[in-house]
């Protein structure tokens, strides 16, 4: 287990989200000092039994906190963990506001959750925003670490639809990803790496470093469907979509949400997310969980696939 560096305060944005809550648990278990920013839109993180509660401060903030609120929230902190926003447009402005507040508050280090393939001409829209955020961060006096991830295992489970009432019965994994492959990763693996980076006794070890966080293998979506079938006991097949089919399926979502999903699938099709990195093993001290292992270890994360009607 990672041991906390004494006296250093870290601030976790998105602490009531799926990734942030896992990180908060780990920092508390290591005895780290942390301030958790929660918006009330998620679940307040559960702390381990026996955790030193005085070392963990929970601060409620608005979904879009102002500059003064953020600067006060970051006061006295050594590092800030920045989880990217989900909503577009406006995502990039929120990232910049957090970075600006960190500078004003005297924070020294920012750990940013970015995307594999981030770049000015990235296939995925989120990866383009991540690149702009990275560049903005590089332009400050802050030290930084980028945690570039592929796609979470859990995300793939929400591309499964129950089509038993249609002409083609059964459960179908639908995505405009062609025959591409993806080395998806578990939330817990990213949280373990973030813990190691934030609490490292050597504060310079991870400065100006980019880590690629992936699973241990790149699977085709046919192989993903087969793994889901084995875990659920229900037959799930993969059906590649055209872009028009993908857009029509998400008619209840915003245009930005649809673009994020479609372009992430296009990144899979383009081979952007196939690379397998050793960074999880090197930083977390153990190998990354495969999709099969994750399905076995975290059945509540994909329990929705067991319901009579997934969609």
């Amino acid at each position: 287990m990672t041991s906390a560096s004494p006296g250093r305060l870290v601030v976790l944005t998105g602490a009531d989200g799926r990734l942030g809550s896992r990180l908060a648990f780990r920092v508390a278990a290591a005895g780290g000092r942390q301030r958790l920013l929660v918006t009330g839109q998620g679940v307040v993180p559960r702390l381990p039994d026996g955790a030193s509660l005085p070392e963990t401060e929970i601060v409620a903030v608005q979904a879009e906190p102002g500059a003064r609120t953020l600067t006060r929230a970051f006061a006295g902190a050594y590092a800030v963990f920045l989880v990217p926003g989900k909503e577009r447009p406006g995502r990039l402005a929120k990232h910049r506001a957090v970075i600006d507040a960190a500078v004003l508050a005297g924070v020294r280090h920012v750990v940013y959750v970015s995307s594999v393939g981030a770049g000015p001409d990235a296939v995925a829209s989120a990866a383009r925003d991540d690149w702009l955020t990275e560049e903005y961060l590089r332009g400050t006096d802050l030290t930084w670490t980028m945690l570039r991830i592929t796609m979470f295992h859990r995300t793939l489970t929400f591309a499964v639809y129950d089509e038993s009432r249609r002409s083609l019965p059964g459960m179908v994994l639908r995505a405009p990803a062609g025959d591409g492959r993806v080395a998806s990763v578990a939330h817990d693996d990213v949280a373990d790496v973030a813990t190691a980076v934030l609490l490292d006794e050597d504060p310079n070890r991870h400065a100006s470093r980019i880590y690629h966080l992936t699973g241990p293998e790149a699977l085709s979506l046919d192989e993903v469907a087969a793994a889901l079938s084995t875990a659920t006991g229900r037959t799930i097949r993969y059906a590649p979509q055209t872009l028009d089919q993908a857009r029509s399926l998400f008619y209840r979502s915003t245009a930005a949400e649809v673009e994020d999903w479609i372009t992430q699938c296009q990144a899979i099709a383009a081979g952007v997310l196939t690379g397998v990195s050793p960074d999880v093993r090197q930083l977390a001290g153990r190998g990354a969980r495969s999709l099969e292992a994750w399905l076995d270890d975290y059945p509540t994360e994909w329990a929705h696939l067991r319901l009579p009607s997934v969609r």
Side-chain angles (χ1 to χ4, degrees):
M1 179 184 295
T2 300
S3 298
S5 297
R8 287 216 315 251
L9 172 67
V10 298
V11 177
L12 311 187
T13 69
D16 50 352
R18 191 164 296 277
L19 177 58
S21 61
R22 284 164 165 75
L23 177 56
F25 183 94
R26 285 161 170 77
V27 172
R33 291 183 61 216
Q34 61 180 340
R35 185 175 296 145
L36 311 181
L37 304 192
V38 299
T39 63
Q41 297 179 325
V43 178
V44 174
R46 177 179 62 88
L47 299 180
D49 294 338
S52 178
L53 294 181
E55 297 298 324
T56 297
E57 178 187 0
I58 298 177
V59 178
V61 296
Q62 296 179 345
E64 298 185 22
R68 290 183 180 179
T69 298
L70 285 172
T71 303
R72 286 195 299 267
F74 296 161
Y78 173 83
V80 168
F81 179 73
L82 175 53
V83 178
K86 295 180 179 180
E87 298 80 11
R88 297 179 63 241
R91 178 165 57 199
L92 184 58
K94 293 178 183 178
H95 298 173
R96 288 174 172 171
V98 170
I99 294 169
D100 289 344
V103 172
L104 289 173
V107 171
R108 292 185 57 188
H109 192 80
V110 170
V111 177
Y112 179 61
V113 181
S114 186
S115 301
V116 167
D121 301 314
V123 176
S125 55
R128 294 193 292 272
D129 283 350
D130 285 332
W131 171 256
L132 292 173
T133 300
E134 289 185 2
E135 287 292 279
Y136 193 77
L137 186 51
R138 290 185 183 98
T140 70
D141 291 331
L142 296 162
T143 60
W144 49 263
T145 305
M146 313 301 185
L147 306 183
R148 290 185 177 177
I149 67 170
T150 48
M151 174 184 282
F152 287 118
H153 291 327
R154 190 171 187 269
T155 300
L156 292 166
T157 71
F158 283 95
V160 176
Y161 295 81
D162 189 340
E163 302 190 353
S164 58
R165 297 181 181 180
R166 300 185 181 184
S167 57
L168 296 174
M171 297 178 69
V172 184
L173 171 60
R174 292 195 174 277
D179 59 358
R181 307 178 78 86
V182 57
S184 56
V185 68
H187 281 85
D188 289 83
D189 291 339
V190 177
D192 283 341
V193 169
T195 302
V197 171
L198 286 166
L199 302 185
D200 197 308
E201 292 183 357
D202 180 358
N204 297 315
R205 192 191 313 273
H206 307 287
S208 303
R209 297 294 301 272
I210 298 175
Y211 297 120
H212 294 83
L213 308 186
T214 76
E217 57 188 349
L219 301 178
S220 69
L221 267 64
D222 282 313
E223 291 170 329
V224 170
L228 296 177
S229 296
T230 299
T232 62
R234 308 177 71 182
T235 300
I236 300 175
R237 61 184 178 84
Y238 169 53
Q241 293 175 304
T242 65
L243 297 184
D244 287 341
Q245 288 172 335
R247 291 191 179 97
S248 65
L249 193 62
F250 287 93
Y251 66 94
R252 293 181 179 177
S253 303
T254 67
E257 290 171 337
V258 174
E259 181 187 7
D260 279 351
W261 168 247
I262 287 177
T263 57
Q264 191 173 33
C265 290
Q266 288 179 307
I268 295 175
V272 176
L273 307 184
T274 60
V276 173
S277 167
D279 287 349
V280 168
R281 177 178 294 278
Q282 292 175 356
L283 291 160
R286 57 162 182 78
R289 292 175 178 84
S290 66
L291 175 63
E292 182 181 7
W294 176 81
L295 289 167
D296 187 53
D297 291 342
Y298 298 94
T300 58
E301 293 287 281
W302 49 269
H304 57 281
L305 296 182
R306 291 174 169 154
L307 299 177
S309 178
V310 177
R311 288 290 190 278

